[in-house]
RNA sequence: GGGCCGGUGCCCGAGCGGCCAAUGGGAUCUGGCUGUAAACCAGACGGCUUUGCCUACGGGGGUUCAAAUCCCUCCCGGCCCA
């Protein structure tokens, strides 16, 4: 927990029977690891007999949340948005219990476009806008940087976002008895706006709860994937189960305890046992492995998790060229692959060419750089800048494992 | 509508006629050391048919032997005035 509007809230949630919501704006077609934190919290609260509402932001996504964003963002087209809403709705549906067996804590999946796109402008301004003071709104930290900076502005569209989110909370309160909103720490201002709106319009009390921004021990934002600016997605076609597994396995020692607590549903005993192992024998990475296994299970299922674990161990601990064919294929199942004509290899294939073709290098110049820096491996054996790739490298008469750097693996299949 | 300021590589940001593929920082990548961490150290960081050539400093046009740098114009952003 990062901030909480009222300390009595925790007792309330412990007792159960509270309706809680978290919103997810469809800025992309998939949710990412950052969203998983809110999802886990909802799930945890559901396990404690509260009723979770997952709200897809089909309406708020039309506007765009300016909170703590450095610049105005381009608007998504309606087509993109619909596509994204579809994607994240189906993902949200996987994490909570929507069946009748959950009884009074059965989860709800809603989309705020249902009310945001139908309310009339004048109704909205009279009923909702009247309760907001611009004086207070411009004082919020979440928009302050945009107002203070000399080179960027803040459009009325984005400025209004807070009202929409506040109205969401109000509608969920009135229609579904929702009294708590959770979110990341950047959502504090928006959540408080909703609480005040509910108080002014109904004189009911409601609550907010935010979670801390997850940081790695080096201060970077958590959740950016290996290889740059891409996020770690929950959609298997964007981030494969193996990649997700590896990402979590590579968590550093300092953040792993926090991640275990946020993202897994292990018992207190199990977690403190893992903490101890990290203390005493960090090189075993027991906590990281448990974390990776638990999260991949949660997101992609047990089977995907155990095969990711097997692949991970095989790929890094054994000499890959000694694996039998079936095991080898399983290890690289998630890796991207490319077909190459057998004849090309027969005459000796240029490594530069192959790196570009497999997209392991973005250009020939980059491929040469990797080779010069001695960062290219065939079947886990480093090759020299001048080496050609020949039939001698081929495993099981049709496979080549090409790797760039520590983590980028590619399967080449001869045809 | 008027006045002023600004738009440079992934981001921030210097350059303000030739010595500019463009200083610096961050991010990223590769290697080293490690534990498939972190920290640290070293190097790379537009492309190509690579002692050279091509494409790039918001778009288009112009001046000049020569433009990211000067002029015109358009687009976009900011501030102030109406």
């Amino acid at each position: 927990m990062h901030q909480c509007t009222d300390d009595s809230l925790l007792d309330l949630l412990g007792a159960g029977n509270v309706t809680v919501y978290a919103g997810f704006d469809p800025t992309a077609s998939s949710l990412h690891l950052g969203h998983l934190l809110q999802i886990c919290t909802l799930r945890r609260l559901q396990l404690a007999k509260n009723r979770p509402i997952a709200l897809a932001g089909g309406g708020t996504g039309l506007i765009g949340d300016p909170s703590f964003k450095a610049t105005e963002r381009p608007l998504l087209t309606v087509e993109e948005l619909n596509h994204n809403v579809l994607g994240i709705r189906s993902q949200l549906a996987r994490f909570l219990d929507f069946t009748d067996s959950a009884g009074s804590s059965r989860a709800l999946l809603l989309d705020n476009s249902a009310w945001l796109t139908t309310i009339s402008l004048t109704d909205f301004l009279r009923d909702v806008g009247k309760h907001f003071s611009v004086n207070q709104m411009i004082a919020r930290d979440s928009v302050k940087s945009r107002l203070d900076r000399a080179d960027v502005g803040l459009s009325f569209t984005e400025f209004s976002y807070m009202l929409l989110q506040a109205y969401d909370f109000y509608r969920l309160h009135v229609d579904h008895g929702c009294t708590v909103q959770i979110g990341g720490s950047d959502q504090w201002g928006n959540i408080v706006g909703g609480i005040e709106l509910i108080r002014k319009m109904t004189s009911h009390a409601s609550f907010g709860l935010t979670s801390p921004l997850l940081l790695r021990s080096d201060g970077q934002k958590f959740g950016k994937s290996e290889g740059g600016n891409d996020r770690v997605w929950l959609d298997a076609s964007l981030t494969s189960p193996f990649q997700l597994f590896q990402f979590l396995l590579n968590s550093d020692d300092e953040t792993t305890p926090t991640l275990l607590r946020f993202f897994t549903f292990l018992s207190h005993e199990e977690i403190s046992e893992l903490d101890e192992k990290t203390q005493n024998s960090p090189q075993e990475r027991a906590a990281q492995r448990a974390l990776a296994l638990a999260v991949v299970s949660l997101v992609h299922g047990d089977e995907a998790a155990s095969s990711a674990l097997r692949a991970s161990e095989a790929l890094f601990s054994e000499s890959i060229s000694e694996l039998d064919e079936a095991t080898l294929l399983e290890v690289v199942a998630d890796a991207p692959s490319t077909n190459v004509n057998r004849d090309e290899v027969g005459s000796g294939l240029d490594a530069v060419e192959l790196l570009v073709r497999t997209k392991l290098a973005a250009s020939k110049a980059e491929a040469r750089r990797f080779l010069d820096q001695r960062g290219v491996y065939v079947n886990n054996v480093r090759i020299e800048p001048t080496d050609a790739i020949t039939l001698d490298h081929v495993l099981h008469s049709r496979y080549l494992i090409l790797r760039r750097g520590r983590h980028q693996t590619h399967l080449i299949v001869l045809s």
Side-chain angles (χ1 to χ4, degrees), chain A residues 150 218 227 246 249-250 252-253 283 285 312 363-365 368-370 373-374 377 382 404:
Chain A
D218 60 2
Q246 285 300 316
L249 186 69
N250 287 331
D252 62 69
D253 295 350
Q283 69 282 6
R285 314 176 71 79
S312 169
S363 66
K364 290 186 182 176
R368 287 189 198 100
R369 213 178 293 139
F370 288 139
Q373 290 173 148
R374 302 170 52 75
Y377 308 76
R382 172 179 286 154
R404 181 208 99 200

Coordinates of all heavy atoms in Angstrom, one line a residue, chain A residues 150 218 227 246 249-250 252-253 283 285 312 363-365 368-370 373-374 377 382 404, chain B residues 10 27-32 35-39 43-45 47-50 77-79:
Chain A
A150 N 7.5 25.6 -19.6 CA 7.3 26.7 -20.6 C 7.1 26.1 -22.0 O 6.6 26.8 -22.9 CB 8.6 27.6 -20.7
D218 N 17.9 -0.4 -9.4 CA 18.7 0.6 -10.0 C 17.9 1.9 -10.3 O 18.3 2.8 -11.0 CB 19.4 0.1 -11.3 CG 18.4 -0.4 -12.3 OD1 17.2 -0.3 -12.1 OD2 18.8 -0.8 -13.4
G227 N 15.9 -5.4 -23.7 CA 15.9 -5.0 -25.1 C 15.2 -3.7 -25.3 O 14.8 -3.3 -26.4
Q246 N 11.7 -15.4 -18.1 CA 13.0 -14.9 -18.1 C 13.1 -13.6 -17.4 O 14.0 -13.2 -16.7 CB 13.6 -14.9 -19.5 CG 14.0 -16.3 -20.0 CD 15.1 -17.0 -19.2 OE1 16.0 -16.4 -18.7 NE2 14.8 -18.2 -18.9
L249 N 12.7 -14.0 -13.8 CA 13.9 -14.8 -13.2 C 15.1 -13.9 -13.1 O 15.9 -14.0 -12.2 CB 14.2 -15.9 -14.2 CG 15.3 -16.9 -13.7 CD1 14.8 -17.7 -12.5 CD2 15.8 -17.8 -14.8
N250 N 15.2 -12.9 -13.9 CA 16.3 -11.9 -13.9 C 16.1 -10.8 -12.9 O 16.9 -9.9 -12.9 CB 16.6 -11.4 -15.3 CG 17.2 -12.4 -16.2 OD1 17.9 -13.3 -15.7 ND2 17.0 -12.3 -17.5
D252 N 16.3 -8.5 -9.8 CA 17.5 -8.4 -8.9 C 17.0 -8.8 -7.4 O 15.9 -8.8 -7.1 CB 18.1 -7.0 -9.0 CG 17.2 -5.9 -8.6 OD1 16.8 -5.9 -7.4 OD2 16.7 -5.2 -9.4
D253 N 18.0 -9.0 -6.6 CA 17.8 -9.5 -5.2 C 16.9 -8.5 -4.4 O 16.1 -8.9 -3.6 CB 19.1 -9.8 -4.5 CG 19.8 -10.9 -5.2 OD1 19.3 -11.6 -6.1 OD2 21.0 -11.1 -4.8
Q283 N 22.9 -17.1 -5.1 CA 23.2 -17.6 -6.5 C 22.2 -18.7 -6.9 O 22.1 -19.0 -8.1 CB 24.7 -18.2 -6.5 CG 24.9 -19.4 -5.7 CD 25.1 -19.2 -4.2 OE1 24.9 -18.0 -3.8 NE2 25.4 -20.2 -3.5
R285 N 19.0 -18.4 -6.7 CA 17.9 -17.7 -7.3 C 16.5 -18.4 -7.0 O 15.7 -18.4 -7.9 CB 18.1 -17.5 -8.8 CG 19.4 -17.0 -9.2 CD 19.6 -16.9 -10.7 NE 18.8 -15.8 -11.2 CZ 19.2 -14.5 -11.1 NH1 20.4 -14.2 -10.6 NH2 18.5 -13.6 -11.6
S312 N 14.1 -22.8 -19.7 CA 15.0 -21.9 -19.0 C 16.2 -22.6 -18.5 O 17.4 -22.2 -18.7 CB 14.3 -21.1 -17.9 OG 15.3 -20.4 -17.1
S363 N 20.5 -4.0 -38.8 CA 21.2 -3.6 -40.1 C 22.5 -4.4 -40.2 O 23.0 -5.0 -39.2 CB 21.5 -2.1 -40.1 OG 22.5 -1.8 -39.1
K364 N 23.1 -4.4 -41.4 CA 24.4 -5.1 -41.5 C 25.4 -4.4 -40.6 O 26.3 -5.1 -40.1 CB 24.8 -5.0 -43.0 CG 23.9 -5.9 -43.8 CD 24.4 -6.0 -45.2 CE 23.5 -6.8 -46.1 NZ 23.9 -6.9 -47.5
A365 N 25.4 -3.1 -40.5 CA 26.4 -2.4 -39.7 C 26.3 -2.9 -38.3 O 27.3 -3.2 -37.6 CB 26.1 -0.9 -39.8
R368 N 27.7 -6.5 -38.0 CA 29.1 -6.5 -37.9 C 29.6 -6.0 -36.5 O 30.6 -6.6 -36.0 CB 29.7 -5.5 -39.0 CG 29.5 -6.1 -40.4 CD 30.3 -5.2 -41.4 NE 29.8 -5.6 -42.7 CZ 28.9 -4.8 -43.3 NH1 28.5 -3.6 -42.8 NH2 28.4 -5.2 -44.5
R369 N 28.9 -5.1 -36.0 CA 29.3 -4.6 -34.7 C 29.2 -5.7 -33.6 O 30.1 -5.9 -32.8 CB 28.3 -3.5 -34.3 CG 28.9 -2.4 -33.4 CD 27.9 -1.3 -33.2 NE 27.5 -0.6 -34.3 CZ 26.3 -0.2 -34.6 NH1 25.3 -0.5 -33.8 NH2 26.0 0.5 -35.7
F370 N 28.1 -6.5 -33.7 CA 27.9 -7.6 -32.7 C 29.0 -8.6 -32.9 O 29.5 -9.1 -31.9 CB 26.5 -8.3 -32.9 CG 25.4 -7.4 -32.5 CD1 24.2 -7.4 -33.2 CD2 25.4 -6.7 -31.3 CE1 23.1 -6.6 -32.8 CE2 24.4 -5.9 -30.9 CZ 23.2 -5.9 -31.6
Q373 N 32.2 -7.3 -31.6 CA 32.2 -7.2 -30.1 C 32.1 -8.6 -29.5 O 32.0 -8.8 -28.3 CB 31.0 -6.4 -29.7 CG 31.2 -4.9 -30.0 CD 29.9 -4.1 -29.7 OE1 30.0 -2.9 -29.4 NE2 28.8 -4.7 -29.9
R374 N 32.2 -9.6 -30.4 CA 32.2 -11.0 -30.0 C 30.9 -11.3 -29.2 O 30.9 -11.9 -28.1 CB 33.4 -11.3 -29.2 CG 34.7 -11.1 -30.0 CD 35.9 -11.1 -29.1 NE 36.0 -12.4 -28.4 CZ 36.3 -13.6 -28.9 NH1 36.6 -13.7 -30.2 NH2 36.4 -14.6 -28.1
Y377 N 26.7 -16.1 -31.0 CA 26.9 -17.5 -30.6 C 26.1 -18.4 -31.6 O 24.9 -18.1 -31.8 CB 26.5 -17.7 -29.2 CG 27.1 -16.8 -28.2 CD1 26.6 -15.5 -28.1 CD2 28.1 -17.2 -27.3 CE1 27.1 -14.6 -27.2 CE2 28.6 -16.3 -26.4 CZ 28.1 -15.0 -26.3 OH 28.6 -14.1 -25.4
R382 N 30.5 -19.2 -29.0 CA 30.8 -17.9 -29.6 C 31.5 -18.1 -30.9 O 32.4 -19.0 -31.0 CB 31.7 -17.1 -28.6 CG 32.2 -15.8 -29.2 CD 33.0 -15.1 -28.2 NE 32.2 -14.5 -27.2 CZ 32.6 -14.2 -26.0 NH1 33.8 -14.5 -25.6 NH2 31.8 -13.6 -25.1
R404 N 22.3 -13.8 -30.0 CA 23.0 -12.5 -30.0 C 23.1 -12.1 -28.5 O 22.0 -12.0 -27.9 CB 22.3 -11.5 -30.8 CG 23.0 -10.2 -30.9 CD 21.9 -9.1 -31.1 NE 21.6 -8.5 -29.8 CZ 20.5 -7.7 -29.6 NH1 19.6 -7.6 -30.6 NH2 20.3 -7.2 -28.4
Chain B
rC10 P 15.9 8.3 -33.9 OP1 16.5 7.0 -34.3 OP2 14.8 9.0 -34.6 O5' 15.4 8.1 -32.4 C5' 14.2 7.2 -32.2 C4' 14.0 7.1 -30.7 O4' 15.0 6.3 -30.2 C3' 14.1 8.4 -29.9 O3' 12.8 9.1 -30.0 C2' 14.4 7.9 -28.6 O2' 13.2 7.4 -27.9 C1' 15.3 6.7 -28.9 N1 16.7 7.0 -28.8 C2 17.3 7.2 -27.5 O2 16.5 7.2 -26.5 N3 18.6 7.5 -27.4 C4 19.4 7.5 -28.5 N4 20.6 7.8 -28.3 C5 18.8 7.3 -29.8 C6 17.5 7.1 -29.9
rA27 P 21.1 5.6 -17.7 OP1 20.7 4.9 -16.5 OP2 22.5 5.5 -18.2 O5' 20.1 5.2 -18.9 C5' 18.7 5.2 -18.7 C4' 18.0 4.9 -20.0 O4' 18.3 5.9 -20.9 C3' 18.4 3.6 -20.6 O3' 17.8 2.5 -20.1 C2' 18.0 3.8 -22.1 O2' 16.6 3.7 -22.3 C1' 18.4 5.3 -22.2 N9 19.8 5.4 -22.7 C8 20.9 5.8 -21.9 N7 22.0 5.8 -22.6 C5 21.6 5.4 -23.9 C6 22.3 5.3 -25.1 N6 23.6 5.4 -25.2 N1 21.6 4.9 -26.2 C2 20.3 4.7 -26.1 N3 19.5 4.8 -25.0 C4 20.3 5.2 -24.0
rU28 P 18.5 1.1 -20.0 OP1 17.5 0.1 -19.4 OP2 19.8 1.3 -19.4 O5' 18.7 0.7 -21.5 C5' 17.7 0.4 -22.4 C4' 18.2 0.3 -23.8 O4' 18.9 1.5 -24.2 C3' 19.3 -0.8 -23.9 O3' 18.7 -2.1 -24.0 C2' 19.9 -0.4 -25.3 O2' 19.1 -0.7 -26.3 C1' 19.9 1.1 -25.1 N1 21.2 1.6 -24.5 C2 22.3 1.7 -25.3 O2 22.3 1.3 -26.5 N3 23.4 2.1 -24.8 C4 23.6 2.5 -23.4 O4 24.7 3.0 -23.1 C5 22.4 2.4 -22.6 C6 21.3 2.0 -23.2
rC29 P 19.5 -3.3 -23.5 OP1 18.6 -4.5 -23.5 OP2 20.2 -3.0 -22.2 O5' 20.6 -3.5 -24.6 C5' 20.2 -3.9 -25.9 C4' 21.4 -3.9 -26.8 O4' 22.0 -2.6 -26.8 C3' 22.6 -4.8 -26.3 O3' 22.4 -6.1 -26.6 C2' 23.8 -4.1 -27.0 O2' 23.8 -4.5 -28.3 C1' 23.4 -2.6 -26.9 N1 24.0 -2.0 -25.7 C2 25.4 -1.6 -25.8 O2 26.0 -1.9 -26.8 N3 25.9 -1.0 -24.7 C4 25.1 -0.7 -23.7 N4 25.7 0.0 -22.6 C5 23.8 -1.0 -23.6 C6 23.2 -1.7 -24.6
rU30 P 23.0 -7.2 -25.7 OP1 22.4 -8.5 -26.2 OP2 22.8 -6.8 -24.3 O5' 24.5 -7.1 -26.1 C5' 25.0 -7.6 -27.3 C4' 26.5 -7.4 -27.4 O4' 26.8 -6.0 -27.3 C3' 27.3 -8.0 -26.2 O3' 27.5 -9.3 -26.4 C2' 28.6 -7.1 -26.3 O2' 29.3 -7.6 -27.5 C1' 28.0 -5.8 -26.6 N1 27.8 -5.0 -25.4 C2 28.9 -4.4 -24.8 O2 30.0 -4.4 -25.3 N3 28.6 -3.7 -23.7 C4 27.4 -3.5 -23.1 O4 27.3 -2.8 -22.1 C5 26.3 -4.2 -23.7 C6 26.5 -4.9 -24.9
rG31 P 27.7 -10.2 -25.1 OP1 27.7 -11.6 -25.5 OP2 26.8 -9.7 -24.0 O5' 29.1 -9.8 -24.6 C5' 30.3 -10.2 -25.4 C4' 31.5 -9.5 -24.9 O4' 31.3 -8.0 -24.9 C3' 31.9 -9.8 -23.5 O3' 32.6 -11.1 -23.4 C2' 32.8 -8.6 -23.2 O2' 34.1 -8.8 -23.8 C1' 32.0 -7.5 -23.8 N9 31.1 -6.9 -22.9 C8 29.8 -6.9 -22.8 N7 29.2 -6.2 -21.8 C5 30.3 -5.7 -21.2 C6 30.4 -4.8 -20.1 O6 29.5 -4.4 -19.4 N1 31.7 -4.5 -19.7 C2 32.8 -4.9 -20.4 N2 34.0 -4.5 -20.0 N3 32.8 -5.7 -21.5 C4 31.5 -6.0 -21.8
rG32 P 32.5 -11.9 -22.1 OP1 33.2 -13.2 -22.4 OP2 31.1 -12.0 -21.6 O5' 33.3 -11.0 -21.1 C5' 34.7 -10.9 -21.2 C4' 35.2 -10.0 -20.1 O4' 34.6 -8.7 -20.1 C3' 34.9 -10.5 -18.7 O3' 35.7 -11.6 -18.3 C2' 35.1 -9.3 -17.8 O2' 36.4 -9.0 -17.6 C1' 34.5 -8.2 -18.8 N9 33.1 -7.9 -18.5 C8 32.0 -8.3 -19.1 N7 30.9 -7.8 -18.6 C5 31.3 -7.1 -17.5 C6 30.6 -6.3 -16.6 O6 29.3 -6.1 -16.5 N1 31.4 -5.6 -15.7 C2 32.8 -5.7 -15.7 N2 33.4 -5.0 -14.7 N3 33.5 -6.4 -16.6 C4 32.7 -7.1 -17.5
rG35 P 29.6 -16.8 -9.4 OP1 29.6 -17.4 -8.1 OP2 30.4 -17.3 -10.4 O5' 28.1 -16.7 -10.0 C5' 27.5 -17.8 -10.5 C4' 26.0 -17.4 -10.6 O4' 25.7 -16.8 -9.4 C3' 25.7 -16.4 -11.7 O3' 24.7 -17.0 -12.6 C2' 25.2 -15.2 -11.0 O2' 23.9 -14.7 -11.6 C1' 24.8 -15.7 -9.6 N9 25.0 -14.8 -8.5 C8 26.1 -14.4 -7.9 N7 25.8 -13.5 -6.9 C5 24.5 -13.3 -6.9 C6 23.6 -12.5 -6.1 O6 24.0 -11.8 -5.2 N1 22.3 -12.6 -6.5 C2 21.8 -13.4 -7.5 N2 20.5 -13.4 -7.8 N3 22.6 -14.2 -8.3 C4 23.9 -14.1 -7.9
rU36 P 24.7 -18.1 -13.5 OP1 23.9 -19.1 -12.8 OP2 26.0 -18.4 -13.9 O5' 23.8 -17.5 -14.7 C5' 24.3 -16.6 -15.7 C4' 23.2 -15.8 -16.2 O4' 22.2 -16.8 -16.7 C3' 22.5 -15.1 -15.1 O3' 23.0 -13.7 -15.0 C2' 21.0 -15.3 -15.3 O2' 20.2 -14.2 -15.7 C1' 20.9 -16.3 -16.5 N1 20.0 -17.4 -16.3 C2 18.8 -17.4 -17.0 O2 18.6 -16.5 -17.8 N3 18.0 -18.5 -16.8 C4 18.2 -19.5 -16.0 O4 17.4 -20.4 -15.9 C5 19.4 -19.5 -15.2 C6 20.3 -18.4 -15.4
rA37 P 22.8 -12.4 -15.7 OP1 22.0 -12.5 -16.9 OP2 24.1 -11.8 -15.7 O5' 21.9 -11.8 -14.6 C5' 22.3 -10.8 -13.7 C4' 21.2 -10.4 -12.9 O4' 21.2 -11.2 -11.7 C3' 21.4 -9.0 -12.4 O3' 20.7 -8.1 -13.3 C2' 20.7 -9.0 -11.1 O2' 19.3 -9.0 -11.2 C1' 21.1 -10.4 -10.6 N9 22.4 -10.4 -9.9 C8 23.6 -10.9 -10.3 N7 24.6 -10.7 -9.5 C5 24.1 -10.0 -8.5 C6 24.6 -9.4 -7.4 N6 25.9 -9.5 -7.0 N1 23.8 -8.7 -6.6 C2 22.5 -8.5 -6.9 N3 21.9 -9.0 -8.0 C4 22.7 -9.7 -8.7
rA38 P 21.5 -6.8 -13.9 OP1 20.6 -6.1 -14.8 OP2 22.8 -7.3 -14.3 O5' 21.7 -6.0 -12.5 C5' 20.6 -5.4 -11.9 C4' 21.1 -4.8 -10.6 O4' 21.6 -5.9 -9.7 C3' 22.2 -3.8 -10.7 O3' 21.8 -2.5 -11.0 C2' 22.8 -3.9 -9.3 O2' 22.0 -3.2 -8.3 C1' 22.6 -5.4 -9.0 N9 23.9 -6.2 -9.3 C8 24.1 -7.0 -10.4 N7 25.3 -7.5 -10.4 C5 25.9 -7.0 -9.3 C6 27.2 -7.1 -8.8 N6 28.1 -7.9 -9.3 N1 27.5 -6.5 -7.7 C2 26.6 -5.7 -7.1 N3 25.3 -5.4 -7.5 C4 25.0 -6.1 -8.6
rA39 P 22.8 -1.5 -11.8 OP1 22.0 -0.3 -11.8 OP2 23.2 -2.2 -13.0 O5' 24.0 -1.4 -10.8 C5' 24.0 -0.6 -9.7 C4' 25.3 -0.7 -8.9 O4' 25.5 -2.1 -8.6 C3' 26.5 -0.3 -9.8 O3' 26.7 1.1 -9.8 C2' 27.6 -1.1 -9.0 O2' 28.0 -0.4 -7.8 C1' 26.9 -2.4 -8.7 N9 27.1 -3.4 -9.8 C8 26.2 -3.7 -10.7 N7 26.6 -4.6 -11.6 C5 27.9 -4.9 -11.1 C6 28.9 -5.7 -11.6 N6 28.8 -6.5 -12.6 N1 30.1 -5.8 -10.9 C2 30.2 -5.0 -9.8 N3 29.4 -4.1 -9.3 C4 28.2 -4.1 -10.0
rG43 P 36.7 3.0 -23.2 OP1 37.9 3.8 -23.8 OP2 35.8 3.7 -22.3 O5' 35.9 2.3 -24.4 C5' 36.6 1.7 -25.4 C4' 35.7 0.8 -26.2 O4' 34.9 0.0 -25.3 C3' 34.5 1.5 -27.0 O3' 35.0 2.1 -28.2 C2' 33.6 0.4 -27.2 O2' 34.1 -0.5 -28.2 C1' 33.6 -0.3 -25.8 N9 32.6 0.1 -25.0 C8 32.7 1.0 -23.9 N7 31.5 1.2 -23.3 C5 30.6 0.5 -24.1 C6 29.2 0.3 -24.0 O6 28.4 0.9 -23.1 N1 28.7 -0.5 -24.9 C2 29.4 -1.1 -25.9 N2 28.7 -1.8 -26.8 N3 30.7 -1.0 -26.0 C4 31.2 -0.2 -25.1
rA44 P 34.2 3.2 -28.9 OP1 35.0 3.6 -30.1 OP2 33.8 4.3 -27.9 O5' 32.9 2.5 -29.4 C5' 32.9 1.6 -30.5 C4' 31.5 1.0 -30.7 O4' 31.0 0.5 -29.4 C3' 30.5 2.0 -31.1 O3' 30.5 2.2 -32.5 C2' 29.2 1.3 -30.7 O2' 28.9 0.2 -31.6 C1' 29.6 0.7 -29.4 N9 29.3 1.5 -28.2 C8 30.1 2.3 -27.5 N7 29.5 2.9 -26.5 C5 28.2 2.4 -26.6 C6 27.0 2.7 -25.8 N6 27.0 3.5 -24.7 N1 25.9 2.1 -26.2 C2 25.9 1.3 -27.3 N3 26.9 1.0 -28.1 C4 28.0 1.6 -27.7
rC45 P 30.1 3.6 -33.2 OP1 30.2 3.4 -34.6 OP2 30.8 4.6 -32.5 O5' 28.6 3.7 -32.8 C5' 27.6 3.0 -33.5 C4' 26.2 3.1 -32.8 O4' 26.4 2.8 -31.4 C3' 25.7 4.5 -32.7 O3' 25.0 4.8 -33.9 C2' 24.8 4.5 -31.5 O2' 23.5 3.8 -31.9 C1' 25.5 3.6 -30.6 N1 26.3 4.3 -29.6 C2 25.6 4.8 -28.4 O2 24.4 4.5 -28.3 N3 26.3 5.5 -27.5 C4 27.6 5.7 -27.7 N4 28.2 6.4 -26.7 C5 28.3 5.3 -28.8 C6 27.6 4.6 -29.7
rG47 P 23.3 2.0 -38.3 OP1 22.7 0.8 -37.8 OP2 24.7 2.4 -38.1 O5' 23.1 2.0 -39.9 C5' 21.8 1.6 -40.4 C4' 21.8 1.9 -41.9 O4' 22.2 3.3 -42.1 C3' 22.9 1.2 -42.7 O3' 22.5 -0.1 -43.0 C2' 23.0 2.0 -44.0 O2' 21.9 1.8 -44.8 C1' 22.9 3.4 -43.3 N9 24.2 4.0 -43.1 C8 24.8 4.2 -41.8 N7 25.9 4.8 -41.9 C5 26.1 5.0 -43.3 C6 27.2 5.6 -44.0 O6 28.2 6.1 -43.5 N1 27.0 5.6 -45.4 C2 25.9 5.1 -46.0 N2 25.9 5.2 -47.3 N3 24.9 4.5 -45.3 C4 25.1 4.5 -44.0
rC48 P 23.6 -1.3 -43.2 OP1 22.8 -2.5 -43.3 OP2 24.6 -1.1 -42.2 O5' 24.2 -0.9 -44.6 C5' 23.4 -1.0 -45.8 C4' 24.1 -0.5 -47.0 O4' 24.5 0.9 -46.7 C3' 25.5 -1.1 -47.3 O3' 25.3 -2.3 -48.0 C2' 26.2 0.0 -48.1 O2' 25.7 0.0 -49.4 C1' 25.7 1.2 -47.4 N1 26.7 1.7 -46.4 C2 27.8 2.4 -46.9 O2 27.9 2.6 -48.1 N3 28.7 2.9 -46.0 C4 28.6 2.6 -44.7 N4 29.6 3.1 -43.9 C5 27.5 1.9 -44.2 C6 26.6 1.4 -45.1
rU49 P 26.3 -3.5 -48.0 OP1 25.7 -4.7 -48.6 OP2 26.8 -3.5 -46.6 O5' 27.5 -2.9 -48.9 C5' 28.7 -3.6 -49.0 C4' 29.4 -3.0 -50.2 O4' 28.5 -3.2 -51.3 C3' 29.7 -1.5 -50.2 O3' 31.0 -1.2 -49.9 C2' 29.3 -1.0 -51.6 O2' 30.5 -0.6 -52.3 C1' 28.7 -2.2 -52.3 N1 27.3 -1.9 -52.8 C2 27.3 -1.7 -54.2 O2 28.3 -1.8 -54.9 N3 26.0 -1.4 -54.7 C4 24.9 -1.3 -54.0 O4 23.8 -1.1 -54.6 C5 25.0 -1.6 -52.6 C6 26.2 -1.8 -52.0
rU50 P 32.1 -2.0 -49.2 OP1 32.7 -2.8 -50.3 OP2 31.6 -2.6 -48.0 O5' 33.2 -1.0 -48.8 C5' 33.3 0.4 -49.1 C4' 33.6 1.2 -47.8 O4' 32.4 1.2 -47.0 C3' 34.7 0.6 -47.0 O3' 35.8 1.4 -47.0 C2' 34.1 0.5 -45.6 O2' 34.9 1.2 -44.7 C1' 32.8 1.2 -45.7 N1 31.7 0.6 -44.9 C2 31.8 0.9 -43.5 O2 32.6 1.7 -43.0 N3 30.8 0.3 -42.8 C4 29.8 -0.5 -43.2 O4 29.0 -0.9 -42.4 C5 29.8 -0.8 -44.6 C6 30.8 -0.3 -45.4
rG77 P -0.8 22.2 -32.5 OP1 -1.8 21.5 -31.8 OP2 -1.1 23.5 -33.2 O5' 0.4 22.5 -31.5 C5' 0.8 21.5 -30.5 C4' 2.0 22.0 -29.8 O4' 3.0 22.4 -30.7 C3' 1.8 23.3 -28.9 O3' 1.1 23.0 -27.7 C2' 3.2 23.7 -28.7 O2' 3.9 22.9 -27.8 C1' 3.8 23.4 -30.1 N9 3.7 24.6 -30.9 C8 2.9 24.9 -32.0 N7 3.1 26.1 -32.5 C5 4.1 26.6 -31.7 C6 4.8 27.9 -31.8 O6 4.6 28.8 -32.6 N1 5.7 28.1 -30.8 C2 6.0 27.1 -29.9 N2 7.0 27.4 -29.0 N3 5.4 25.9 -29.8 C4 4.5 25.8 -30.8
rG78 P 0.2 24.1 -27.1 OP1 -0.6 23.4 -26.0 OP2 -0.5 24.9 -28.1 O5' 1.3 25.1 -26.4 C5' 2.0 24.6 -25.3 C4' 3.1 25.6 -25.0 O4' 3.9 25.9 -26.2 C3' 2.5 27.0 -24.6 O3' 2.1 27.0 -23.2 C2' 3.8 27.9 -24.9 O2' 4.7 27.7 -23.8 C1' 4.3 27.2 -26.1 N9 3.8 27.9 -27.3 C8 2.9 27.5 -28.3 N7 2.7 28.3 -29.2 C5 3.5 29.4 -28.9 C6 3.7 30.6 -29.6 O6 3.2 31.0 -30.7 N1 4.6 31.4 -29.0 C2 5.3 31.1 -27.8 N2 6.1 32.0 -27.3 N3 5.1 30.0 -27.1 C4 4.2 29.2 -27.8
rC79 P 0.9 27.9 -22.9 OP1 0.4 27.4 -21.5 OP2 -0.1 28.0 -24.0 O5' 1.5 29.3 -22.7 C5' 2.5 29.5 -21.7 C4' 3.2 30.9 -21.9 O4' 3.8 30.9 -23.3 C3' 2.2 32.0 -22.0 O3' 1.8 32.5 -20.7 C2' 3.0 33.1 -22.8 O2' 4.0 33.7 -22.0 C1' 3.7 32.2 -23.8 N1 3.0 32.1 -25.1 C2 3.1 33.1 -26.0 O2 3.8 34.1 -25.7 N3 2.4 33.1 -27.2 C4 1.6 32.0 -27.5 N4 1.0 32.0 -28.6 C5 1.5 30.9 -26.5 C6 2.2 31.0 -25.4

